Structures are given as C-alpha cells and as structure tokens.
Amino acid sequence: MAESNAASPKRHGRSPARKNTAAEVSKSFSVDMNKLWRTNFRALEKLIWRDLNNNPKSQTFYKYTKDNIVEYLKDPQKNEKQLRNAVIYMYGASSHFRRLIQYFVGLSDLSYFILPYGIDASSAKGDLRKKFLKASDYVSKFDIKRQCKDILTVCLREDVYYCTAREIGNKITFQQLPSDYCKISSMSDNVCNVTFDFSYFDADQALIDYYSPEFSTKYAAYQKDRTQRYQDLEPPFSFAIKCNTEILNYAMPPFAGVLRNLYDISDYEDLKLTKTELENYALLVMKLGIDKDGNWLMDYQKAVEFWQNLDQVMPEEIGSVLSPMDIEKISFDRAGGTNDTDKVSDSENHLWSAAGVSSLLFNNTKASSAALLLSIKSDQAITFSIVQSIELALNRIFQNQAVGKSFRISFLDISPYNRQEMAKQYLDAARYGFPTISMYCASIGMLPCEVESLAFLESDALGLHDKLIPLQSSNTMSSSSSGRPTNQSKGEGLDDSGEQTADSDQNASRI
C-alpha cells in the first residue's frame, strides 16, 4: 500500500508538492498578524459603555419626600447613596436645580495653556519646539473642554467624580465608574486615588469586559480571596475629583441643602394649580323657603322638578343644589392681597438664596450690574477650585509620559463673564514685553495645538499677512503723513478765514 502511494504521483504525472521556504512562511505569518492586529485595533478604537442586547436593564430612581431628605441630612455618611440618588433625580425632574448646576459649570470655560518648567533656556532652545509640539498633541487627546465639562457637572451635582482614563485610538477617554462602588482612601501628588469595590461584578460578570484589563486581574484576585473586595486602582490613570475636599470620608452633594427648597416650590405650584382649578367651578343654590309654621312656600315636588330641569342643562364645571337654608360664602383669601404667584416667586428666590447665588442671574427684575458681577466672581471661585483639582489629575497623567516630563497643563480662571476683561489684561501685559501671548491665545478660545498650526497656515502657507493689507487711515499711516489733509494737497484754495490764519501763523502753536 505504501509502495502504491509512493508511485502515485509519477503515475498521474504530478511532481511532489513544494514546501514553502522560511522567508515565505515568515512573510505569510507577518501578513496574518498585521491583519489580526488591524482588526483588534479597530475594536479598541471605541469604548463600549453597555450592551443593549444582553443588558436591557434601565436605571430608576425613587422620589424621596421632604421628610426623607431631612432625615438623610442628619447622617450624610450613612445615607450617602440616598442623597446621591436624590440629587440625580432632582437634576432630571427640576429645571431650577438643573439650571443651578449648569450655571456653576459654565463659570469656567476650561481655557488652558501648556507651561514649560525645569528647562535650561540656554541649551534647550534647539529641540524645545519639537518637544512642545509633541506635548501639545498629547494634551489634545484629553479633549479637555468637552470631557471636563462632564466632570464639573458630576462634581457639582454629586460631589465626587470617580474615573479611569483609557487611551482609545488617538483619544484619551474618561470612563466614569459607578459611584456606589467607589471610595477615596488615599492621595498621591495631591490627587485622590480610587478604591473600587469589586463585588460590583458579582451580579453580572459580563460587565468586566467594558473595563480596562486591570479590572479583570484584580477581580480574579478577589474571587480567590474574598477579603480583597476593596482594591486601589493604579494611578495615574485612575483618579477621583471631589468638590468638598475638606470631607474625604464620604460624598456630600454640594447643593443637598437646597433640596427642601425645591420641594417648597413644587408644593406652592401645586397649591396654585389647585386654586386655579377651583376657580373654574361654580355652585348654584336654589332656595326653597319655609313659612313660620314650617311649611314649604312652594310645592316640594314642583321645586324638585324645577331643580332637576336646571341641573340637567348645567355644564360639568357648575353644580347645583336645592336647600331651604341660606348659604354664606367663606373665603380663605390671604390678607393683604398676596396671591399664589407671589408665593411661588418668593420660594424661588429662597432657593437661590439657600444655594448662595444671586437671584439677579435668574430673571430677577431688580437687576444691578455691579452687584451681579461681584456675585459671579464669588461663585466662580467655587468652580475654579474643582478645575484646579482636575488640573492636578491631568498633570499626573501627562507628566507620567515621556512627552510631558518638561511641561505641565495650566488652567486660567476665565469664564464667559470675565473673558473680555482677562483677554485685555493678557494683551496689555504682552505689549509691555511680558510672556503672556500663550495666555492671551487661551483666553480667546484657542488650544495650544491650534496656535502653531494656524500661525504656519496663515503666515507661511497662505501668506495672508501679505495679502490682507488694511486700508489707509489715520490709524495705519505713519506720523509723517498723519493729520487732516490740507487744501493744498486737495488742490483747493483758502477762504478768507484760512488766509487770515495763514498770515498770522496761528497754527504754529498746534504742532
């Protein structure tokens, strides 16, 4: 049988199959691996938050009462989860609360510039530009102005934003961690570190695929040793940003104290609605008189028939009754003419006062620009303290990279309310030779990576500086050609008054 198989190729006129050389095998393996790598890399370019097909669960919130809120505030550490859920619910249910949070978030436009430090200016000039361009490109991966807005919103609403940063493609994405399973137990480089409760994955282990490989490794350790339930996530890519940094043991929503005021607004609005509905109703009374002997002044059955005829043609909003007694209207109108609209307005003003912000910002008719600006500056300091914590966390990631060893990110205390003032300050300082050009560019909304590229595009590539020449005016003319055109330059003669002025040389003193 073996002999027949050996002769088979010769019998059919075929030569033995040629084996691939080592170089061909290596080339084929390289192509397959590159194809596999490209496929896996494309999968890593997006961050999956949830699988809608396999995890159709929806999050619901319980509407707490005013009494519940009062009890929770007595022991905020024990009721940390309930207070967090209450403010999240109110953020969606109350336009007043949402507007309050968004007002504080908008008090920083997250303008930043990249600041070099620890550099020897005499020897680093040659390659500093290349290093700076690489550093600005890396910082642009953070997408600071969009992602940090979310951090500010969560911090001002719930107090703490727990996060792990993941480099996905050419972006660094901040993945928010479930707050109910996170704690702060340590700090490094003045940044709060995250301690995670890995029992979070016990209910659904498929969720672990949506997190970085660090979570899989530490969850495996927790499964082997249940005492490893709480484990610190590795810095610098995992961090926590806290609003109330003076309280690190638990989360205390900054505006939890105004929840009761929000319920007051809702109560007054319900009362106003109830009164408005009652004002749309009426009651007609038909009185059937009685004489001194107790007899009806009219046949009772006839009176009932008249009343029934009237009642049948009444609209639903109007009722009727047949009564032998006088009915007196008793009114509960408030003394002094104070209506329900005033009460609702007063409760709204109490809300802004309880939150510590000026009611002038929210449709108050007694506007005062000076007092308003001072109030905004006070509120802006609260937001900027959170921005400074974000700056420390980003610099801890940035300076852990090779491109960030000699640079750091610096945020400016700028909001839409003082942008013009701060831009003028930086521009005036630059005119006197101070190094504030980068700050000025940041104050008008330019990113560090945009300044260099736009300067090259407009000056070198397009030559716009040579093409866009301003028109001649007194602002663009030199001092030798400045001033009002003379009659001689216009080819006109002098009138009598002009000749008298020229003869007496009266204009000589004006030069």
Side-chain angles (χ1 to χ4, degrees):
M1 188 70 178
E3 184 177 345
S4 173
N5 289 339
S8 178
K10 181 182 284 188
R11 185 167 56 246
H12 292 85
R14 293 180 299 178
S15 58
R18 185 179 65 87
K19 296 182 179 180
N20 294 330
T21 63
E24 291 173 335
V25 172
S26 176
K27 181 178 179 180
S28 175
F29 178 78
S30 178
V31 170
D32 293 340
M33 287 304 296
N34 287 337
K35 183 178 180 181
L36 178 62
W37 168 252
R38 286 194 299 270
T39 303
N40 291 338
F41 185 77
R42 291 192 191 99
L44 291 174
E45 285 183 339
K46 63 179 180 180
L47 181 63
I48 300 176
W49 297 109
R50 56 177 178 163
D51 187 351
L52 297 177
N53 293 320
N54 298 322
N55 187 24
K57 298 179 181 179
S58 60
Q59 189 173 9
T60 58
F61 294 98
Y62 173 74
K63 182 180 179 180
Y64 301 100
T65 64
K66 188 191 300 185
D67 294 335
N68 293 144
I69 300 300
V70 172
E71 290 298 321
Y72 297 154
L73 290 175
K74 291 180 181 179
D75 191 353
Q77 185 171 5
K78 179 181 178 182
N79 301 295
E80 178 181 347
K81 181 178 180 181
Q82 287 83 352
L83 285 174
R84 183 186 299 113
N85 290 337
V87 294
I88 294 176
Y89 165 78
M90 200 60 76
Y91 184 76
S94 170
S95 60
H96 295 86
F97 190 67
R98 175 183 286 270
R99 191 172 180 185
L100 176 65
I101 299 299
Q102 291 178 344
Y103 160 69
F104 275 93
V105 172
L107 288 180
S108 175
D109 60 8
L110 298 167
S111 300
Y112 70 93
F113 66 102
I114 299 176
L115 180 67
Y117 74 100
I119 294 178
D120 185 2
S122 60
S123 59
K125 184 177 180 181
D127 60 345
L128 181 60
R129 179 176 177 274
K130 293 181 179 179
K131 290 181 178 180
F132 177 81
L133 293 178
K134 290 182 179 179
S136 62
D137 287 342
Y138 185 85
V139 173
S140 65
K141 292 182 177 182
F142 287 117
D143 196 7
I144 288 176
K145 294 204 172 188
R146 188 194 65 81
Q147 293 200 103
C148 291
K149 287 286 185 183
D150 298 337
I151 296 179
L152 286 175
T153 301
V154 174
C155 286
L156 289 165
R157 184 183 64 200
E158 307 169 25
D159 186 30
V160 191
Y161 181 89
Y162 301 99
C163 165
T164 182
R166 301 180 62 182
E167 193 164 355
I168 309 295
N170 61 345
K171 294 291 183 181
I172 296 178
T173 303
F174 298 152
Q175 183 177 8
Q176 185 180 1
L177 301 176
S179 299
D180 293 342
Y181 292 85
C182 294
K183 298 288 184 182
I184 296 175
S185 62
S186 63
M187 296 182 68
S188 60
D189 300 324
N190 293 324
V191 179
C192 297
N193 297 321
V194 180
T195 301
F196 191 77
D197 180 4
F198 281 88
S199 65
Y200 170 70
F201 299 110
D202 288 345
D204 188 359
Q205 296 187 10
L207 294 175
I208 204 167
D209 295 333
Y210 307 147
Y211 294 84
S212 63
E214 176 188 2
F215 285 80
S216 301
T217 303
K218 292 188 174 181
Y219 181 65
Y222 159 70
Q223 288 180 311
K224 295 179 181 178
D225 183 3
R226 289 290 173 171
T227 62
Q228 299 296 317
R229 175 180 172 182
Y230 289 96
Q231 300 182 56
D232 292 340
L233 300 181
E234 293 298 329
F237 282 92
S238 295
F239 58 87
I241 304 296
K242 200 173 191 303
C243 179
N244 297 318
T245 54
E246 67 276 8
I247 306 175
L248 294 177
N249 293 338
Y250 57 92
M252 180 66 183
F255 297 105
V258 306
L259 293 178
R260 290 172 293 181
N261 300 86
L262 291 170
Y263 282 102
D264 289 341
I265 294 176
S266 178
D267 292 342
Y268 281 121
E269 288 178 344
D270 291 341
L271 289 174
K272 179 184 175 182
L273 178 61
T274 301
K275 181 179 179 181
T276 303
E277 290 178 349
L278 290 176
E279 289 175 350
N280 294 328
Y281 292 91
L283 179 66
L284 298 181
V285 179
M286 294 182 64
K287 183 178 179 181
L288 180 58
I290 302 178
D291 59 18
K292 61 181 181 179
D293 297 327
N295 300 317
W296 299 108
L297 297 179
M298 181 181 176
D299 182 67
Y300 177 75
Q301 293 299 328
K302 288 288 184 182
V304 171
E305 292 178 4
F306 282 118
W307 169 73
Q308 290 176 342
N309 293 335
L310 175 66
D311 188 68
Q312 291 176 359
V313 297
M314 290 287 185
E316 294 182 358
E317 294 81 8
I318 300 178
S320 64
V321 64
L322 180 65
S323 172
M325 297 168 288
D326 293 331
I327 297 178
E328 181 182 357
K329 177 184 178 182
I330 301 176
S331 176
F332 293 93
D333 292 339
R334 299 176 180 85
T338 304
N339 56 35
D340 295 279
T341 303
D342 295 333
K343 287 296 183 181
V344 174
S345 178
D346 290 343
S347 63
E348 290 176 347
N349 290 331
H350 291 159
L351 168 66
W352 308 132
S353 299
V357 300
S358 175
S359 60
L360 303 175
L361 295 163
F362 305 99
N363 298 328
N364 192 295
T365 57
K366 302 177 182 179
S368 172
S369 58
L372 181 61
L373 290 176
L374 290 175
S375 175
I376 291 174
K377 288 183 178 180
S378 177
D379 298 337
Q380 190 170 328
I382 298 175
T383 302
F384 191 66
S385 64
I386 307 176
V387 173
Q388 289 177 315
S389 298
I390 297 175
E391 177 183 307
L392 292 172
L394 295 183
N395 278 321
R396 190 172 73 167
I397 298 175
F398 179 43
Q399 294 173 344
N400 193 56
Q401 311 301 315
V403 296
K405 296 295 183 182
S406 302
F407 301 93
R408 67 181 179 90
I409 305 168
S410 181
F411 285 93
L412 301 176
D413 190 6
I414 293 180
S415 73
Y417 303 98
N418 71 339
R419 180 184 292 114
Q420 186 175 0
E421 173 190 350
M422 298 301 296
K424 183 179 183 301
Q425 177 180 322
Y426 295 134
L427 183 59
D428 290 343
R431 286 171 176 167
Y432 286 99
F434 290 95
T436 57
I437 297 178
S438 296
M439 300 179 188
Y440 173 74
C441 293
S443 67
I444 61 175
M446 297 184 69
L447 302 179
C449 61
E450 296 174 344
V451 176
E452 173 76 16
S453 58
L454 286 176
F456 171 78
L457 176 66
E458 294 182 359
S459 300
D460 299 337
L462 301 179
L464 297 182
H465 291 177
D466 299 328
K467 297 177 181 178
L468 302 180
I469 302 175
L471 298 175
Q472 292 288 333
S473 66
S474 59
N475 295 325
T476 60
M477 294 170 62
S478 62
S479 58
S480 60
S481 60
S482 62
R484 177 182 176 182
T486 63
N487 285 20
Q488 183 180 1
S489 65
K490 295 188 294 182
E492 299 177 1
L494 298 175
D495 55 14
D496 295 339
S497 178
E499 289 179 354
Q500 184 179 357
T501 301
D503 293 339
S504 61
D505 202 19
Q506 294 179 6
N507 286 335
S509 59
R510 298 185 181 181
I511 301 177

